[in-house]
Amino acid sequence: PARSTLWSVMASCAVRSRFDLVNLKASVLAPIIEALPRRIGVLGGTFDPVHIGHLRGGLEVAEMMGLDELRLTPNARPPHRDTPQVSAHDRLAMVECAVAGVATLVVDARELQRDKPSYTIDTLELMRAEMAADDQLFLLLGWDAFCGLPTWHRWEELLQHCHILVLQRPDADSEPPDALRNLLAARSVSDPLALKGPGGQIAFVWQTPLAVSATQIRQLLASGKSVRYLVPDAVLAYIDAHGLYRASN
């Protein structure tokens, strides 16, 4: 009912897209928009440190998909990664610095509050329990992470809770592992904007190629070189103020 009412309002006011809604009176739209399903993205990682590749990629997806929010979720104890070089406190603080003032990008620290490995399925179950049944949840994964899904804890259950958006760079040309080919054949959608329902499907999103990695940034800092323009200024200021990633650390 809320959606059909919204279409009626949009048609009567010659509204052609979600973004044209700002021209209508808030008093008319507020109760209608409130009743629409939310669209929430999740981007996890060690963020050791967070850099422009994470942020630019996440923002592009958030804008393209019309997400209400994209939650950057720092891992505490990632099962498939080396132990982060700096503390959870510092990594969280850097992500908070990085997204300050960007309304769509928010920080979700729940994995840092759990004293166990950061299994994505646990996080998705908790998030889904907090959401309405028809809210859409999108898990953002890089190509390498997606190809590694068959090694993840309870990976076959992920699509019960979310859609998966695979962030694919135009220069990537590798093939998915055999374990994922049947899944892609059954669940993939060619147009990310055509994903329907709260979860259950996979789509690929082409990304602006940014050859930036946290490993590269840590190596530059350890050798005393500048990482300006590879991380937000606020993150660089935090790194400098706390002496992070220097050779002595």
Side-chain angles (χ1 to χ4, degrees), residues 16 37 41 50 62 78 96 99 106 118 140 160-161 164 170 176-177 192 196 216 218 226 231 236 238 244:
R16 293 178 299 278
V50 63
E96 290 174 338
V99 304
V106 300
S118 298
L140 280 61
Q160 296 176 19
H161 305 286
I164 293 178
K196 303 296 184 183
Q216 169 198 18
R218 293 194 301 270
S226 174
V231 298
L236 180 56
Y238 187 94
L244 303 181

Side-chain angles (χ1 to χ4, degrees), residues 52-245:
I52 62 168
H54 301 128
L55 300 165
R56 182 62 208 172
L59 188 59
E60 285 184 3
V61 172
E63 291 182 340
M64 184 196 76
M65 297 295 295
L67 299 183
D68 293 293
E69 63 183 38
L70 175 62
R71 300 177 180 177
L72 277 68
T73 308
N75 304 144
R77 294 164 52 192
H80 299 98
R81 301 288 296 274
D82 293 334
T83 301
Q85 188 167 325
V86 303
S87 71
H89 171 82
D90 285 326
R91 290 184 292 115
L92 175 61
M94 287 187 284
V95 177
E96 290 174 338
C97 289
V99 304
V102 184
T104 308
L105 303 184
V106 300
V107 181
D108 189 314
R110 72 182 70 215
E111 291 193 359
L112 301 180
Q113 298 163 359
R114 297 202 301 259
D115 186 24
K116 62 178 183 178
S118 298
Y119 292 126
T120 300
I121 186 64
D122 294 337
T123 299
L124 294 177
E125 285 179 335
L126 289 171
M127 289 183 177
R128 177 56 69 188
E130 299 165 357
M131 300 167 67
D134 57 350
D135 286 346
Q136 291 185 297
L137 189 59
F138 301 90
L139 176 64
L140 280 61
L141 295 177
W143 174 249
D144 291 341
F146 177 70
C147 288
L149 274 187
T151 67
W152 288 27
H153 179 60
R154 295 168 56 197
W155 73 278
E156 292 150 316
E157 301 175 38
L158 295 175
L159 289 174
Q160 296 176 19
H161 305 286
C162 68
H163 295 298
I164 293 178
L165 296 176
V166 184
L167 311 183
Q168 182 73 299
R169 298 185 320 199
D171 58 349
D173 57 2
S174 57
E175 293 292 324
D178 291 341
L180 291 177
R181 289 181 181 174
N182 289 340
L183 181 67
L184 284 170
R187 300 295 190 98
S188 63
V189 174
S190 59
D191 180 4
L193 297 178
L195 293 169
K196 303 296 184 183
Q201 296 175 306
I202 302 169
F204 288 79
V205 178
W206 297 105
Q207 290 279 282
T208 300
L210 292 173
V212 181
S213 74
T215 300
Q216 169 198 18
I217 291 170
R218 293 194 301 270
Q219 291 172 345
L220 288 170
L221 288 166
S223 63
K225 296 178 181 177
S226 174
V227 297
R228 186 172 297 278
Y229 309 125
L230 296 177
V231 298
D233 287 345
V235 173
L236 180 56
Y238 187 94
I239 289 171
D240 288 341
H242 295 81
L244 303 181
Y245 306 111

